[in-house]
Amino acid sequence: MAGSANALQSAIFSRLTGDATLTGMIGAGAIFDRRLTGKAMPYVVLSEVVTSDFGPDAEEHLVTVEAWSDAEGRKQAQEIAAQVKVLLDGTALSLAGFVLVNLMHRSTRARREPKTRAHVARMEFRAVTE
């Protein structure tokens, strides 16, 4: 099953970058696989993927996606997170070489980043691949 996490992340990236509504909210080229401290906000970060065995031919992935904003208050980060949830929760993504059994939103937590003006909405998704 090696590589299913990469295939999943690639499919998520394609889904998010292909959405005109999300692009309108954050701008083009504003989805990354790490936080960029010098990059103007808002943007989305595919932050973390934790993968575990889930049977002989399956893997479970806990995927973290973050919406970052430096607008006043949490509203913008939460609106971006809501659109990401619409795009990913329960969707049937096509994975290169693997099958996505399910992709479900588990939680979203919004907070202000300490000692900065930035707000982040951290979304957790659970996926199973075969």
Side-chain angles (χ1 to χ4, degrees):
M1 294 301 295
S4 66
N6 289 335
L8 176 62
Q9 185 169 343
S10 178
I12 289 171
F13 180 83
S14 293
R15 176 77 168 143
L16 297 180
T17 57
D19 183 67
T21 300
L22 183 60
T23 299
M25 297 171 87
I26 63 175
I31 299 174
F32 307 101
D33 64 357
R34 68 188 185 285
R35 182 167 180 231
L36 304 173
T37 55
K39 173 74 172 113
M41 295 179 199
Y43 55 79
V44 171
V45 176
L46 305 179
S47 177
E48 183 177 30
V49 179
V50 178
T51 301
S52 305
D53 286 338
F54 197 69
D57 296 318
E59 290 182 321
E60 176 184 52
H61 310 275
L62 303 178
V63 180
T64 303
V65 181
E66 297 173 340
W68 286 88
S69 170
D70 58 1
E72 190 68 31
R74 294 182 176 105
K75 182 179 179 185
Q76 184 181 46
Q78 289 175 317
E79 289 174 344
I80 295 166
Q83 181 62 21
V84 169
K85 180 181 175 187
V86 165
L87 293 171
L88 297 181
D89 187 35
T91 193
L93 299 176
S94 177
L95 275 59
F98 301 93
V99 174
L100 179 63
V101 177
N102 66 24
L103 176 60
M104 299 176 359
H105 176 263
R106 291 178 51 159
S107 66
T108 298
R109 180 186 316 181
R111 65 174 171 78
R112 186 178 66 80
E113 183 72 359
K115 300 181 183 179
T116 72
R117 291 185 36 193
H119 287 84
V120 59
R122 183 179 173 97
M123 297 155 278
E124 302 284 342
F125 293 88
R126 177 187 176 268
V128 175
T129 58
E130 294 181 331

